[in-house]
Amino acid sequence: MAKLTVNNKEYEVSSDPSTPLLWVLRDELGLTGTKYGCGIAQCGSCTVHMDGKPVRSCITFLRSASGKKITTIEGLAGDQPHPLQKAWVEKDVPQCGYCQSGQIMAAAALLEKGKKPSDAEIDSAMSGIVCRCGTYNRIREAIKLAAMGGEGGE
Amino acid sequence: MTDQNKVDRRSFLRTGIAAGGTLVIGLHLPIGVNAKGWPDEAEPADTLEPNAFIRISKDGKLTVRIGQAEMGQGVLTSLAMIVADELEIDWPNVSYETVGADPAFNNPLFGFQGTGGSTSVRGFYTPLRKAAASTREILVAAAAAEWGVDAGGCKAASGKVTHSASGRSAGYGELFEAAAKLTPPAEPKLKDPKDFKLIGKAAKRLDTPMKSDGTAEFGIDVRLPGMLVAQVLRCPVFGGKPGKIDDGAAKAVAGVHAIVPLDYGVGIVADSFWAARRGRQALKVEWDEGANAGVSTEAIYKEFSEAAARETGKEARKEGDVAAAKPTAAKSLEADYFTPYLAHATMEPMNCTADVRADGCDIYVGTQFQGFTQMAAAGMTGLAPDKVKVHNKMLGGGFGRRAALDFVTDAVMLSKAVKKPVKVIWTREDDTQHDLYRPATFHKLSAGLDAAGKPLYWQHKLVNPSIMASFFPDAPSEGVDDSSVEGAANIAYEIPNISVDWVRKEAGVPIGFWRSVGNSHTAFVVESFLDELAHEAGRDPLEFRLSLLEKDKKKAAILRLAAEKAGWGKPAGEGIFRGIAICESFASTVAEVAEVSVSKSGAVKVHRVVCAVDCGQVVNPDTVAAQMEGGIVYGLTAVLYGQIDVEGGKVRQTNFNNYKMLRMNEMPKVEVHIVPSNEAPGGVGEPGTPPIAAAVTNAVFAATGKRIRRLPINPSDLAS
């Protein structure tokens, strides 16, 4: 049994230590908000935070996640939705919605740095996360909106 | 055809909807059909349910029941808006409920339950308005009767009926009892569009919150008690079958429950996805590769191009006399165009969960075709269709891929074999290598100009397979498959002599509907070759198009709008060039101007796309904009990267590392301009895709003088 801390909750998990964190979250813990898209760190749908940094849970093995603080889309909001989640609603970002957990988690890690990201910084933080519906421009607008505390935006 | 398709074929036959190879058009308007007959559903006493689509609760809240699949196109919101507006219920009091397979929700444009062809709003706009208006009318009639006043003096608004003369007012919930005794009129009076409160105004999507906090449930997220998770190892060669299976090591893998041979592959059923993957890695299968072991795209392309020279094909359009016009042309132009196979690459890989029991079967899936899913499962299990319950989940992208049943077949066959609920998940590699691909196509064109530089003739021969025949194999093979020539046979340009012919060539690669179907390649070819002709005539591409659309004022206006908003004719910026293209598809017309630069190494960057769309009456303008943005990205990805290669009957591409997607840093600015209209609604899910390819490649020509006649763009061809 490995110990795993997800969204501030301690779990004892029985998955083999070489199982990717993605499948521990989805299949063992039932946290299905984190998505499988490619399994080889090419699409970013599986992005979660490990000690505050964005990682691809499809190639992060349980043994390296154990003992770290994992945050998934289910744990992003506090009492209120995260500013990004509000901005996502304001800009009606999602279409099919499948990649959006990964998009929001990547964006949340970017905003954790506590600054208003430039377009280049957004490109750099977000270009790893594929959206097949083409919501990129709305994602960019929503990130800027959230960074400005929900005021104004493009 | 693989054996799994035989199962599908039987099921298609049983539904009997595909006779003649065309979709049966029939309007099924279930006015007066109560949802009472719903399996496992008690009718709550405190609601009004005058028809299958509508449920109003005592507190005046509206639930719109929707049988169309939500795959990102915003259909849950758009259809709910249509009902709420006509029923006079305020948007904050509106929610939706998705339904499974039921003929009451048949798509009026198909005659069966299905989501595709950009038909949801087109098909349901009037039926839903009628269903809502007739409900509104019985509520008004009930109030009038209760108050002993003339119904004409009563008005419905914000979930209430008001009689202004007496000042009386009652919420819908108070009128249920009397209204339920009335028969809803079949032909109610619909609202005047000028009185619309929701239709035509941007409403927030109902599914955004759940798609922003991880709670939206996609097919892949389904979890049932006692459920096992499976993968299917398919023969790498299309249509191949497993021969000798050595499953000793696979069965020994911890968490693996069963290895199940199927006609077309081997199922690995386990506790979890990862255990199934380990089992799969340990499995040894010798394949009987079958007839397609020699299939290669290179040979297909060669055959297509030779067939274009050799075969006459079937006539798809004939006007005037091309043969007679040819020798009289002052200038003639010939060109061959080619487009490759393309995968759909939905972000959510194919999956399905089935729970097959002796007494019934539940299917949990994201599908575009609930009814066919039900029929297929009934066929495979031997159960009566009404014992098969389809639970449609959110679709993590559809684009035509989720009109197929291969993933349903997997889940049903495996659940039947292990007698437990089974969730089948395809890996990305499975998804890329076993898609139903947008067909490769070859195009031979010639055209001539008269001495004044006006087009005299236009000749277009297309070589490609029939998608309709592959989906409906028992359809007669006579005639022309419209989906093979759409966008080419119906060009609007006023040219006196036109011939469009289709050479059908089947090629051993599974094919399917891919966002915008035939238009995805024909618009590229037609709009590129027309650009060639404009160049040959020494005329501006926009002005040349407009000169050929003198009678089609609507298309001319759409072109002008896109051009004007893009600043056509004015400088685009240092090193940036413009291209324009237009395409009518799915009852909408879209023109796009792309602004493109090409680097010394030949890298193409698309800076901005300006889009003008006329899609008739708009329901949710923000959704129209989103669908144009999405359609453009889908098409642009194909222009820049999309290509599936087959060698030895196997697909060479595997995953996003070698089947590339457009990313954030490559995303152009997109501006969408909607032509105001109260005409019947057109489609919006697909029409944004067709024009982008030619808009980009025409801009590349403007930038480099190099004409791209084969997609995707190969930067090394453009290096200076």
Side-chain angles (χ1 to χ4, degrees), chain A residues 18 35 42 90 92 136, chain B residues 204 208 221 278 662-663:
Chain A
S18 65
K35 303 303 188 201
Q42 289 288 312
E90 181 56 34
D92 252 344
Y136 298 125
Chain B
K204 289 273 172 247
T208 299
D221 301 329
R278 287 208 175 112
L662 193 90
R663 292 171 183 272

Side-chain angles (χ1 to χ4, degrees), chain B residues 54-105:
Chain B
I54 292 169
R55 185 170 69 224
I56 310 171
S57 63
K58 274 278 181 208
D59 58 1
K61 294 210 187 316
L62 167 67
T63 304
V64 182
R65 308 186 69 185
I66 294 172
Q68 294 300 98
E70 177 61 67
M71 45 190 172
Q73 82 283 38
V75 71
L76 298 174
T77 306
S78 303
L79 296 188
M81 285 170 74
I82 294 168
V83 173
D85 198 326
E86 198 67 58
L87 192 43
E88 298 290 357
I89 291 181
D90 295 338
W91 191 238
N93 293 325
V94 180
S95 62
Y96 67 82
E97 183 178 296
T98 56
V99 301
D102 192 285
F105 294 85

Side-chain angles (χ1 to χ4, degrees), chain A residues 18 20 23 26-27 32 35-38 42 85 90 92 95-96 98 104 127-128 132-133 136-138, chain B residues 72 204-205 208 211-212 220-221 223 273 278 344 427-428 622 626-627 629-630 655 662-663 665 667-668:
Chain A
S18 65
W23 297 107
R26 289 184 57 84
D27 281 351
T32 55
K35 303 303 188 201
Y36 165 65
C38 70
Q42 289 288 312
Q85 291 171 320
E90 181 56 34
D92 252 344
Q95 290 185 28
C96 91
Y98 192 77
I104 291 172
S127 290
R132 188 69 166 134
C133 299
Y136 298 125
N137 288 342
R138 287 169 190 248
Chain B
K204 289 273 172 247
R205 286 180 65 132
T208 299
K211 287 177 175 175
S212 305
I220 203 169
D221 301 329
R223 290 163 62 82
F273 179 90
R278 287 208 175 112
H344 294 81
T427 64
R428 175 58 58 192
D622 195 48
Q627 286 309 295
E629 292 161 20
N655 201 318
L662 193 90
R663 292 171 183 272
N665 59 331
M667 180 70 192

Side-chain angles (χ1 to χ4, degrees), chain A residues 42-125:
Chain A
Q42 289 288 312
C43 78
S45 285
C46 67
T47 303
V48 300
H49 296 180
M50 189 157 81
D51 288 343
K53 294 200 169 59
V55 296
R56 305 299 166 83
S57 65
C58 74
I59 55 156
T60 304
F61 297 105
L62 173 57
R63 73 164 66 86
S64 44
S66 185
K68 308 272 171 56
K69 197 169 173 289
I70 307 297
T71 307
T72 70
I73 186 74
E74 290 91 345
L76 187 65
D79 298 338
Q80 288 288 312
H82 187 277
L84 282 167
Q85 291 171 320
K86 290 184 191 170
W88 247 242
V89 170
E90 181 56 34
K91 295 288 179 187
D92 252 344
V93 172
Q95 290 185 28
C96 91
Y98 192 77
C99 72
Q100 299 296 341
S101 297
Q103 303 282 3
I104 291 172
M105 294 310 287
L110 173 66
L111 295 189
E112 275 302 300
K113 294 173 186 164
K115 56 179 179 182
K116 291 178 182 169
S118 65
D119 280 324
E121 285 166 326
I122 293 175
D123 279 348
S124 155

Side-chain angles (χ1 to χ4, degrees), chain B residues 619-666:
Chain B
V619 174
N620 190 349
D622 195 48
T623 289
V624 174
Q627 286 309 295
M628 293 303 126
E629 292 161 20
I632 287 165
V633 173
Y634 205 76
L636 191 51
T637 304
V639 174
L640 297 176
Y641 304 124
Q643 177 164 327
I644 287 289
D645 302 307
V646 180
E647 208 176 276
K650 303 169 192 168
V651 168
R652 201 183 293 155
Q653 286 75 15
T654 54
N655 201 318
F656 293 134
N657 56 327
N658 48 27
Y659 191 71
K660 282 177 74 178
M661 298 289 119
L662 193 90
R663 292 171 183 272
M664 172 81 101
N665 59 331
E666 303 158 302

Side-chain angles (χ1 to χ4, degrees), chain B residues 197-221:
Chain B
K197 291 176 184 141
L198 290 165
I199 294 171
K201 298 169 178 72
K204 289 273 172 247
R205 286 180 65 132
L206 296 171
D207 55 350
T208 299
M210 71 172 75
K211 287 177 175 175
S212 305
D213 66 7
T215 56
E217 193 185 32
F218 296 84
I220 203 169
D221 301 329

